[in-house]
Every structure is written in C-alpha cells, then in structure tokens.
Amino acid sequence: MKTRELTKRLLRNLEHFQFAQNVLTICQEANIGKINGLLPALEEAIESENQMLNLDQKEMGTTELTWLNRERSRAYRTLSLQIKAALLAPQADIQKAAKQLKAVQERYPRLMRHGYLQQTGGIRNLITDLREAAVYPSVVKLNLGEAVDRMESANKAFDTLYLERVKAKPNPDRTPLLQLRTQTDDALNAIARRMNSLLDLEPDAAIEALVNRYNALVQKLKIELKRRSATGSAATAKRKAETEELLRPHLEELKEVENLSEARFAGRSIGTGKTRYYLIAVIKVDGEVEDRWYRAKGKQFLLVPDSKLPKPRKRKKKANPTAPDSGNV
C-alpha cells in the first residue's frame, strides 16, 4: 500500500487549489503527529495561491474608462458625419467651411483607431486646431460648436480618470501562479513521502485510513483528467497519429508511384468507415504542394475529386406552429 501518483500540472488552477485544501483537511482530521509538522508549509502555500486566485482581473475604473472612450468616439463620429454632410450642401459658403474643417481633421488620420494615449493627445490637438481664430468661424458656420464641446468634455474626463488609475494603489506583486503552484506541490509531495515512510516503518490503522482517503481524492481527479483527455487536444493528437499509422502504407506507395518528395495526412477527414475521405498533402519534387482527397478501398488508395465529396447536410427548418396557414384566407 502506498500513495497514488497524480500529475498535478494537468490540474486547472481552481482544481489544484481545492485538491491541496482537501489534502490539508484530511490530514488535520487524521491528526497524526509526524504528519502535522508538515502542515504549516502547506497552509502557507495554499494561502498564497488563494490570494493570487482572488486578485481583481480588472484595474479600477475600467468600465467607466471604456464608456468615456466610447463617448468621445461618438462625439468624433458626429463631428465627422456633419462635416461630410456639409460637403454635399448646395451653398458654396457651407462647402467652403466644410472643406476647411475636413483639412484640419485630416491632420490626424485614423485617429480613433489608435491606442488610448494617442487618441487623447490627438483629440486635444484637434480641438486646439478647430478653435484657432482662422478656423473657428467655420465651426460656427456649420453649428458644430456643441459637437466640439462634447468631444472635449469626454476627452478631458477620460484623461482625468486615466491619471487617477495611475495614482491609485497598484495591484500587489503578481507572483506567477505557476511558481506558487510549485511551492504547493512541494508541500504536498513532502506529505505524500511522509505517509509512505510511516506506512513502511510505523504502519497502523490511522495512517492507513489517511492514505486511503488521500488515494480516493487522487483517484477522483485521475478519472476527471482521463475524461478531459478523451475529449481534448490530446485526444485529437492521438486520433491523428492513429490515422497517420493507418494510412502509412498507402502514403508510402503513393510517394513511390508518383515520385513525390513527400505525402502526408493533412489532419482532415470526412465521413466514417468505408466512406471516409482523407485530405492528403502531396509535396512534389520541385517543392509544389497540392492538397488532394483520397479514399481507402482495401489495398487501393483512390483519388477523389472535390466534386465527388459528400455534401454537408442542410438542417431542415422546424415548422412554426404559430405561423398562419398560407392556404387559408
């Protein structure tokens, strides 16, 4: 009898934390003297891990900052649309004013696609330019004073909040969670080693009961990891490797018959069983790469034109029971 092995690096963060917490709990309940001495290190590691998991993922004011950024973007958009509309006005003086404002706006191309700081500085400079003595009469001519004020107000509020976030108390030092998990694992491994030592040197009912509970925790997680592996990327890689092995004789023959540099399974297939089609990447001697579909039929490996591939099934629309009968008047 001994403790079961568990690949703890495969556990998700909260799973890892809870497993460690559960081990601590069963050890405390067992209250075995030679195990108790190792528990403070595990408690400390669990607490550090817990603090990191509980840290806020967003900085202060993120929601408000996002809203202000949208508000100044809307104000800028309103200004742009009104200038575009004025360019199409029948009055020559309106068109002239619009062209002047358009020229000023073009000093800051793609302004609203830049980062926060670049947008803030660009909008500030744009507003300064629009309020120059030679330009502002055109702003008044097109009744854009309110749009300019709105944009300035949102930009100032954004900049103020941005600076407040800098002044706010920064987040605590974010020790990498992987490093904290390693510390927890060291404490867990020390406890498992101590359990095994006691089983060998001082076996009794208490240590055996503790090991049984520990192994039950491990077994539950191993079952979950196995289930996850069967449906995750590991399973995908395994299926691909199995398909490659299945097709290996066909690919080697194809490579020899057509004098190819390489022929390999491209990772895609359609259908099942005897009607399964495989996408093969064919690499010619001159380096040209071509994707082809093939089907295995006994010892034959048959090329399948795209036009012969099965078409995806169209889902039938469910009848709407509340829709009126078009045949009745």
Side-chain angles (χ1 to χ4, degrees):
M1 183 183 196
K2 64 178 182 178
T3 57
R4 289 178 179 269
E5 296 285 338
L6 176 64
T7 309
K8 292 183 278 294
R9 62 180 174 78
L10 298 179
L11 297 177
R12 293 168 180 165
N13 289 333
L14 288 175
E15 286 175 333
H16 185 273
F17 167 77
Q18 192 57 49
F19 172 68
Q21 184 64 59
N22 288 342
V23 171
L24 176 63
T25 299
I26 64 174
C27 288
Q28 289 173 334
E29 291 174 353
N31 194 26
I32 297 173
K34 292 183 179 179
I35 297 290
N36 291 343
L38 301 176
L39 299 185
L42 179 59
E43 285 185 276
E44 184 178 346
I46 289 173
E47 180 58 27
S48 297
E49 204 171 317
N50 184 43
Q51 288 179 6
M52 186 58 59
L53 289 170
N54 288 336
L55 284 179
D56 288 337
Q57 299 301 309
K58 289 184 178 180
E59 291 186 67
M60 178 275 293
T62 297
T63 302
E64 295 82 353
L65 205 64
T66 301
W67 185 89
L68 287 170
N69 186 55
R70 288 176 181 166
E71 174 62 16
R72 67 182 183 178
S73 295
R74 285 191 289 263
Y76 179 87
R77 179 69 174 160
T78 298
L79 184 73
S80 299
L81 290 174
Q82 288 180 285
I83 292 173
K84 286 183 179 179
L87 288 169
L88 302 175
Q91 301 92 339
D93 57 337
I94 296 294
Q95 286 190 23
K96 182 179 179 181
K99 287 178 181 178
Q100 184 182 29
L101 297 184
K102 182 67 174 175
V104 172
Q105 200 176 27
E106 287 176 345
R107 297 173 188 171
Y108 310 95
R110 303 168 66 88
L111 177 57
M112 303 316 293
R113 297 189 183 184
H114 295 310
Y116 279 170
L117 290 179
Q118 216 169 338
Q119 283 186 38
T120 302
I123 291 174
R124 182 184 291 114
N125 287 350
L126 174 60
I127 292 169
T128 299
D129 293 350
L130 291 174
R131 287 190 168 145
E132 288 180 354
V135 178
Y136 197 69
S138 294
V139 174
V140 175
K141 186 76 174 178
L142 301 185
N143 295 317
L144 295 178
E146 184 177 340
V148 173
D149 291 343
R150 176 189 173 192
M151 185 165 60
E152 181 180 37
S153 176
N155 198 52
K156 283 183 175 179
F158 180 94
D159 195 31
T160 299
L161 181 56
Y162 189 91
L163 291 174
E164 284 180 0
R165 295 203 327 166
V166 176
K167 290 187 292 185
K169 183 179 179 180
N171 286 331
D173 181 33
R174 290 178 178 267
T175 304
L177 189 55
L178 181 60
Q179 181 179 332
L180 295 177
R181 284 182 54 154
T182 300
Q183 294 172 7
T184 306
D185 289 346
D186 290 343
L188 288 168
N189 293 338
I191 290 172
R193 287 194 299 270
R194 183 66 57 85
M195 288 182 191
N196 289 327
S197 297
L198 291 174
L199 280 172
D200 289 338
L201 302 174
E202 302 177 16
D204 60 19
I207 188 63
E208 289 180 3
L210 176 59
V211 170
N212 281 331
R213 293 187 71 185
Y214 177 87
N215 285 344
L217 289 175
V218 170
Q219 184 60 22
K220 284 182 178 295
L221 284 173
K222 288 172 77 76
I223 291 172
E224 171 59 21
L225 291 175
K226 186 175 181 180
R227 181 201 64 77
R228 191 181 300 162
S229 175
T231 57
S233 57
T236 302
K238 182 180 178 182
R239 286 194 296 270
K240 184 179 178 183
E242 291 172 349
T243 302
E244 288 173 343
E245 182 60 25
L246 176 69
L247 297 178
R248 186 171 56 80
H250 295 300
L251 297 179
E252 289 178 354
E253 183 181 2
L254 180 64
K255 179 180 175 182
E256 182 179 349
V257 170
E258 297 197 18
N259 191 27
L260 301 171
S261 175
E262 188 177 356
R264 62 169 179 260
F265 176 51
R268 286 185 59 199
S269 63
I270 300 174
T272 57
K274 294 181 179 180
T275 58
R276 191 174 184 186
Y277 303 86
Y278 303 93
L279 183 64
I280 306 299
V282 171
I283 304 175
K284 301 179 181 179
V285 177
D286 60 3
E288 181 184 352
V289 180
E290 181 183 352
D291 287 341
R292 303 177 187 169
W293 288 96
Y294 284 85
R295 179 168 69 90
K297 184 179 180 182
K299 294 184 178 181
Q300 295 178 296
F301 203 45
L302 305 175
L303 177 64
V304 180
D306 288 354
S307 59
K308 298 295 183 180
L309 292 173
K311 300 293 188 292
R313 294 180 180 179
K314 293 184 178 179
R315 292 184 179 180
K316 293 182 179 180
K317 293 184 178 180
K318 294 182 180 180
N320 185 354
T322 62
D325 186 348
S326 58
N328 297 328
V329 178

